Amino acid sequence: EGSSSLDVCEAVLCLLEDNPMFNAGKGAVFNEKGEHELDASIMDGSTMRCGAVAGVRTVKHPISLARKVMTETRHVLLAADGAERFAEIAGVERVDNSYFDTERRRRALDRLLLERQRTGSLVPQDRRLDYGTVGCVVLDQGGRLAAATSTGGMTAKKWGRVGDTPILGAGNYADSYAAISCTGTGEEFIRHAIARSVTARMAYGNQSLEEASSAVIHDVLKKDDGGLIAVDRDGNISTPFNSTGMYRATANSLGHFKVAIFDDE
Ligand code: ASP
Protein backbone atom coordinates (compact mmCIF):
# COMPACT_ATOMS: atom_id res chain seq x y z
CA GLU A 1 0.00 0.00 0.00
CA GLY A 2 2.96 2.31 -0.39
CA SER A 3 4.22 2.32 3.20
CA SER A 4 7.92 2.92 3.67
CA SER A 5 10.19 -0.04 4.37
CA LEU A 6 11.15 1.52 7.73
CA ASP A 7 7.52 1.87 8.85
CA VAL A 8 6.81 -1.74 7.88
CA CYS A 9 9.89 -3.00 9.72
CA GLU A 10 8.94 -1.16 12.91
CA ALA A 11 5.26 -2.18 12.76
CA VAL A 12 6.08 -5.86 12.19
CA LEU A 13 8.64 -5.88 14.97
CA CYS A 14 6.21 -4.27 17.44
CA LEU A 15 3.76 -7.11 16.72
CA LEU A 16 6.46 -9.73 17.25
CA GLU A 17 7.74 -7.98 20.40
CA ASP A 18 4.19 -8.15 21.81
CA ASN A 19 3.88 -11.87 21.03
CA PRO A 20 5.15 -14.04 23.95
CA MET A 21 6.11 -16.84 21.53
CA PHE A 22 9.22 -14.97 20.48
CA ASN A 23 12.42 -13.98 22.24
CA ALA A 24 11.90 -10.23 21.99
CA GLY A 25 9.80 -7.84 24.09
CA LYS A 26 7.17 -9.86 25.99
CA GLY A 27 8.54 -13.41 26.16
CA ALA A 28 12.21 -12.38 26.07
CA VAL A 29 14.65 -14.83 27.63
CA PHE A 30 16.04 -14.34 31.16
CA ASN A 31 19.65 -13.47 31.83
CA GLU A 32 21.72 -15.27 34.47
CA LYS A 33 20.24 -13.10 37.22
CA GLY A 34 16.63 -13.80 36.21
CA GLU A 35 16.12 -10.43 34.54
CA HIS A 36 15.61 -9.19 31.00
CA GLU A 37 18.01 -7.01 29.01
CA LEU A 38 16.81 -6.26 25.50
CA ASP A 39 18.72 -5.33 22.33
CA ALA A 40 17.36 -3.94 19.03
CA SER A 41 18.46 -2.13 15.89
CA ILE A 42 17.02 -0.70 12.69
CA MET A 43 18.71 0.45 9.48
CA ASP A 44 17.59 2.37 6.42
CA GLY A 45 19.56 1.11 3.42
CA SER A 46 18.61 4.08 1.24
CA THR A 47 20.31 6.63 3.53
CA MET A 48 22.58 4.37 5.67
CA ARG A 49 20.94 5.91 8.71
CA CYS A 50 20.62 3.51 11.62
CA GLY A 51 19.83 3.32 15.33
CA ALA A 52 20.25 0.73 18.07
CA VAL A 53 19.75 0.13 21.78
CA ALA A 54 21.45 -2.43 23.99
CA GLY A 55 20.62 -3.73 27.45
CA VAL A 56 17.34 -1.86 27.92
CA ARG A 57 15.15 -3.11 30.77
CA THR A 58 11.92 -1.13 30.82
CA VAL A 59 11.15 -0.29 27.20
CA LYS A 60 8.08 -2.13 25.89
CA HIS A 61 9.17 -1.80 22.24
CA PRO A 62 12.97 -1.65 21.99
CA ILE A 63 12.70 -1.37 18.19
CA SER A 64 10.80 1.93 18.48
CA LEU A 65 13.48 3.30 20.78
CA ALA A 66 16.16 2.16 18.31
CA ARG A 67 14.36 4.08 15.58
CA LYS A 68 14.30 7.18 17.79
CA VAL A 69 18.05 6.85 18.37
CA MET A 70 18.30 7.00 14.57
CA THR A 71 15.97 9.96 14.07
CA GLU A 72 16.39 12.01 17.26
CA THR A 73 20.09 11.74 18.12
CA ARG A 74 23.33 12.00 16.20
CA HIS A 75 24.38 8.61 17.54
CA VAL A 76 23.95 5.03 16.38
CA LEU A 77 23.90 2.99 19.61
CA LEU A 78 22.78 3.84 23.15
CA ALA A 79 23.22 1.28 25.94
CA ALA A 80 21.91 0.43 29.41
CA ASP A 81 21.32 3.44 31.74
CA GLY A 82 21.88 5.97 28.97
CA ALA A 83 19.34 4.23 26.76
CA GLU A 84 16.84 4.17 29.64
CA ARG A 85 17.40 7.88 30.21
CA PHE A 86 16.86 8.51 26.51
CA ALA A 87 13.63 6.45 26.67
CA GLU A 88 12.32 8.92 29.26
CA ILE A 89 13.08 11.89 27.04
CA ALA A 90 11.85 10.21 23.86
CA GLY A 91 8.54 9.36 25.52
CA VAL A 92 8.28 5.69 24.50
CA GLU A 93 6.09 3.25 26.44
CA ARG A 94 7.74 1.90 29.60
CA VAL A 95 6.95 -1.25 31.57
CA ASP A 96 8.24 -3.05 34.62
CA ASN A 97 11.05 -5.52 33.86
CA SER A 98 8.71 -8.33 35.06
CA TYR A 99 6.29 -7.48 32.22
CA PHE A 100 8.60 -9.49 29.92
CA ASP A 101 8.40 -12.64 32.12
CA THR A 102 6.88 -15.85 30.81
CA GLU A 103 6.75 -19.26 32.47
CA ARG A 104 8.27 -20.99 29.45
CA ARG A 105 11.38 -18.80 29.53
CA ARG A 106 11.66 -19.16 33.32
CA ARG A 107 11.70 -22.96 32.93
CA ALA A 108 14.34 -22.66 30.21
CA LEU A 109 16.54 -20.59 32.54
CA ASP A 110 16.13 -23.04 35.43
CA ARG A 111 16.94 -25.94 33.13
CA LEU A 112 20.02 -24.26 31.75
CA LEU A 113 21.40 -23.22 35.14
CA LEU A 114 20.97 -26.80 36.39
CA GLU A 115 22.68 -28.17 33.28
CA ARG A 116 25.57 -25.75 33.82
CA GLN A 117 26.04 -26.95 37.36
CA ARG A 118 25.97 -30.56 36.20
CA THR A 119 28.19 -30.32 33.14
CA GLY A 120 30.29 -27.23 33.90
CA SER A 121 29.72 -26.15 30.28
CA LEU A 122 28.48 -22.67 29.40
CA VAL A 123 27.18 -23.82 26.00
CA PRO A 124 23.68 -25.31 26.25
CA GLN A 125 23.22 -28.82 24.89
CA ASP A 126 19.97 -27.65 23.32
CA ARG A 127 21.13 -24.83 21.07
CA ARG A 128 17.50 -23.81 20.46
CA LEU A 129 17.89 -21.90 23.72
CA ASP A 130 20.18 -19.57 21.75
CA TYR A 131 17.54 -18.63 19.17
CA GLY A 132 14.22 -16.79 18.93
CA THR A 133 15.22 -13.28 17.96
CA VAL A 134 12.75 -11.52 15.65
CA GLY A 135 13.58 -9.64 12.49
CA CYS A 136 12.05 -8.09 9.40
CA VAL A 137 13.59 -7.05 6.07
CA VAL A 138 11.67 -5.03 3.50
CA LEU A 139 12.02 -3.66 -0.03
CA ASP A 140 9.33 -1.01 -0.59
CA GLN A 141 7.72 0.47 -3.70
CA GLY A 142 10.28 3.26 -3.72
CA GLY A 143 13.10 0.69 -3.91
CA ARG A 144 14.21 1.43 -0.35
CA LEU A 145 15.59 -1.45 1.69
CA ALA A 146 15.34 -1.62 5.48
CA ALA A 147 16.18 -4.15 8.19
CA ALA A 148 15.13 -4.40 11.83
CA THR A 149 15.99 -6.93 14.54
CA SER A 150 14.99 -7.24 18.21
CA THR A 151 15.92 -9.76 20.92
CA GLY A 152 16.15 -10.69 24.57
CA GLY A 153 19.55 -12.23 23.77
CA MET A 154 20.53 -15.72 24.90
CA THR A 155 19.09 -17.61 27.87
CA ALA A 156 21.25 -17.23 31.02
CA LYS A 157 23.53 -14.70 29.35
CA LYS A 158 25.75 -12.71 31.68
CA TRP A 159 24.25 -9.38 32.74
CA GLY A 160 25.64 -6.64 30.54
CA ARG A 161 26.25 -9.06 27.67
CA VAL A 162 25.48 -7.45 24.32
CA GLY A 163 24.79 -9.71 21.34
CA ASP A 164 24.85 -9.19 17.59
CA THR A 165 21.35 -7.73 17.29
CA PRO A 166 22.22 -4.08 18.12
CA ILE A 167 25.59 -4.27 16.34
CA LEU A 168 25.00 -2.94 12.83
CA GLY A 169 26.86 -5.10 10.34
CA ALA A 170 26.74 -8.14 12.63
CA GLY A 171 23.10 -9.05 13.39
CA ASN A 172 21.35 -6.42 11.28
CA TYR A 173 22.25 -4.39 8.20
CA ALA A 174 20.83 -2.66 5.14
CA ASP A 175 22.46 -0.78 2.27
CA SER A 176 21.65 -0.28 -1.41
CA TYR A 177 22.34 -3.98 -2.18
CA ALA A 178 20.29 -5.84 0.43
CA ALA A 179 18.69 -5.86 3.88
CA ILE A 180 19.64 -8.61 6.34
CA SER A 181 18.44 -9.68 9.79
CA CYS A 182 20.13 -12.51 11.70
CA THR A 183 19.34 -14.95 14.50
CA GLY A 184 21.56 -17.38 16.35
CA THR A 185 24.59 -17.35 18.62
CA GLY A 186 25.34 -13.63 18.60
CA GLU A 187 29.04 -13.90 19.35
CA GLU A 188 29.62 -15.81 16.10
CA PHE A 189 27.68 -13.23 14.07
CA ILE A 190 29.75 -10.41 15.62
CA ARG A 191 33.05 -12.25 15.06
CA HIS A 192 32.37 -12.65 11.35
CA ALA A 193 30.38 -9.42 10.74
CA ILE A 194 27.80 -11.64 9.12
CA ALA A 195 25.09 -9.19 7.99
CA ARG A 196 27.52 -6.79 6.32
CA SER A 197 29.48 -9.70 4.83
CA VAL A 198 26.44 -10.57 2.72
CA THR A 199 26.34 -7.18 0.99
CA ALA A 200 30.15 -6.95 0.82
CA ARG A 201 30.22 -10.24 -1.10
CA MET A 202 27.58 -8.85 -3.45
CA ALA A 203 29.38 -5.52 -3.91
CA TYR A 204 33.02 -6.68 -4.15
CA GLY A 205 32.61 -10.28 -5.25
CA ASN A 206 29.66 -9.90 -7.59
CA GLN A 207 27.80 -12.69 -5.79
CA SER A 208 24.02 -13.01 -5.92
CA LEU A 209 22.04 -12.59 -2.70
CA GLU A 210 21.53 -16.35 -2.57
CA GLU A 211 25.25 -17.13 -3.08
CA ALA A 212 26.38 -14.54 -0.55
CA SER A 213 23.92 -15.40 2.20
CA SER A 214 24.35 -19.17 1.77
CA ALA A 215 28.13 -18.80 1.89
CA VAL A 216 28.15 -16.87 5.18
CA ILE A 217 25.71 -19.26 6.85
CA HIS A 218 27.12 -22.55 5.54
CA ASP A 219 30.82 -21.85 4.87
CA VAL A 220 31.73 -19.12 7.38
CA LEU A 221 29.53 -20.11 10.34
CA LYS A 222 29.36 -23.55 11.93
CA LYS A 223 26.42 -25.93 12.20
CA ASP A 224 23.75 -24.73 14.66
CA ASP A 225 25.06 -21.17 14.84
CA GLY A 226 21.81 -19.82 13.33
CA GLY A 227 20.43 -18.20 10.19
CA LEU A 228 19.30 -15.01 8.49
CA ILE A 229 16.52 -13.48 6.42
CA ALA A 230 17.46 -11.23 3.50
CA VAL A 231 15.97 -9.36 0.55
CA ASP A 232 17.93 -7.60 -2.18
CA ARG A 233 17.24 -4.55 -4.33
CA ASP A 234 15.65 -6.70 -7.06
CA GLY A 235 13.27 -8.33 -4.58
CA ASN A 236 15.13 -11.65 -4.40
CA ILE A 237 14.61 -13.35 -1.05
CA SER A 238 16.99 -15.65 0.80
CA THR A 239 16.50 -17.33 4.21
CA PRO A 240 19.41 -19.74 4.84
CA PHE A 241 20.03 -21.35 8.25
CA ASN A 242 22.28 -24.06 9.63
CA SER A 243 20.10 -24.93 12.61
CA THR A 244 17.36 -27.59 12.53
CA GLY A 245 14.71 -25.01 11.70
CA MET A 246 14.01 -21.28 11.55
CA TYR A 247 10.54 -19.74 11.83
CA ARG A 248 10.10 -17.50 8.83
CA ALA A 249 7.58 -15.97 6.45
CA THR A 250 8.08 -14.35 3.06
CA ALA A 251 5.72 -12.38 0.84
CA ASN A 252 5.80 -10.07 -2.17
CA SER A 253 3.42 -7.95 -4.22
CA LEU A 254 3.19 -10.60 -6.95
CA GLY A 255 1.25 -12.90 -4.64
CA HIS A 256 4.08 -15.00 -3.22
CA PHE A 257 3.29 -15.91 0.40
CA LYS A 258 5.05 -18.60 2.37
CA VAL A 259 5.41 -19.59 6.02
CA ALA A 260 7.96 -22.26 6.99
CA ILE A 261 9.95 -23.73 9.84
CA PHE A 262 12.12 -26.54 8.42
CA ASP A 263 14.22 -26.93 5.31
CA ASP A 264 12.08 -28.95 2.97
CA GLU A 265 8.91 -26.85 3.24
N1 ASP B 1 21.29 -13.44 18.15
C1 ASP B 1 20.72 -13.25 19.46
C2 ASP B 1 21.80 -12.88 20.44
O1 ASP B 1 22.87 -13.49 20.40
C3 ASP B 1 19.98 -14.45 19.96
C4 ASP B 1 18.91 -14.98 19.04
O2 ASP B 1 19.06 -14.93 17.83
O3 ASP B 1 17.87 -15.46 19.54
O4 ASP B 1 21.59 -12.04 21.27
Side-chain angles (χ1 to χ4, degrees):
E1 294 172 348
S3 304
S4 77
S5 52
L6 272 178
D7 284 347
V8 175
C9 277
E10 183 181 357
V12 169
L13 257 69
C14 284
L15 284 173
L16 296 170
E17 286 177 340
D18 285 343
N19 189 325
M21 296 293 287
F22 302 108
N23 173 19
K26 176 80 185 168
V29 298
F30 288 90
N31 68 9
E32 198 179 73
K33 287 204 316 193
E35 296 167 347
H36 308 278
E37 293 175 315
L38 312 174
D39 300 336
S41 69
I42 190 162
M43 185 154 184
D44 178 355
S46 66
T47 59
M48 300 301 280
R49 295 207 309 161
C50 46
V53 292
V56 294
R57 304 163 46 86
T58 65
V59 177
K60 188 174 182 192
H61 292 121
I63 197 60
S64 300
L65 189 63
R67 187 164 179 187
K68 282 183 184 287
V69 170
M70 174 175 94
T71 54
E72 294 177 17
T73 78
R74 59 188 289 249
H75 305 302
V76 163
L77 170 60
L78 292 181
D81 290 350
E84 294 285 336
R85 181 81 190 89
F86 176 61
E88 266 165 47
I89 299 164
V92 296
E93 194 173 347
R94 312 291 288 283
V95 290
D96 228 51
N97 195 248
S98 60
Y99 159 83
F100 302 111
D101 290 4
T102 50
E103 261 319 296
R104 191 165 69 102
R105 299 295 186 191
R106 169 98 50 200
R107 281 197 303 273
L109 174 68
D110 292 346
R111 214 172 78 209
L112 200 60
L113 292 179
L114 260 178
E115 181 188 307
R116 265 190 201 172
Q117 265 178 6
R118 241 193 11 249
T119 63
S121 164
L122 291 174
V123 183
Q125 269 163 13
D126 184 352
R127 292 285 297 280
R128 278 176 307 180
L129 294 174
D130 283 355
Y131 317 135
T133 290
V134 302
C136 178
V137 292
V138 179
L139 171 69
D140 68 21
Q141 286 181 18
R144 291 167 302 198
L145 289 156
T149 310
S150 179
T151 190
M154 300 199 307
T155 304
K157 66 183 181 181
K158 277 230 173 306
W159 35 263
R161 178 264 188 188
V162 174
D164 59 319
T165 301
I167 310 295
L168 279 313
N172 194 62
Y173 193 73
D175 59 16
S176 61
Y177 284 85
I180 296 106
S181 170
C182 305
T183 182
T185 308
E187 284 70 9
E188 299 303 325
F189 286 77
I190 294 174
R191 222 165 250 142
H192 299 286
I194 290 297
R196 166 62 177 144
S197 286
V198 173
T199 64
R201 282 169 176 267
M202 295 172 75
Y204 310 140
N206 222 8
Q207 293 190 339
S208 68
L209 178 75
E210 189 58 38
E211 286 165 348
S213 52
S214 291
V216 297
I217 292 299
H218 298 294
D219 303 341
V220 177
L221 293 176
K222 297 181 303 301
K223 171 128 189 59
D224 279 337
D225 281 344
L228 61 82
I229 56 172
V231 61
D232 72 12
R233 57 184 168 193
D234 298 319
N236 296 305
I237 295 168
S238 179
T239 60
F241 53 94
N242 60 35
S243 43
T244 311
M246 181 175 78
Y247 305 144
R248 60 203 188 276
T250 55
N252 69 18
S253 52
L254 303 175
H256 163 85
F257 187 90
K258 185 174 163 193
V259 177
I261 299 178
F262 301 107
D263 226 353
D264 44 5
E265 288 164 299

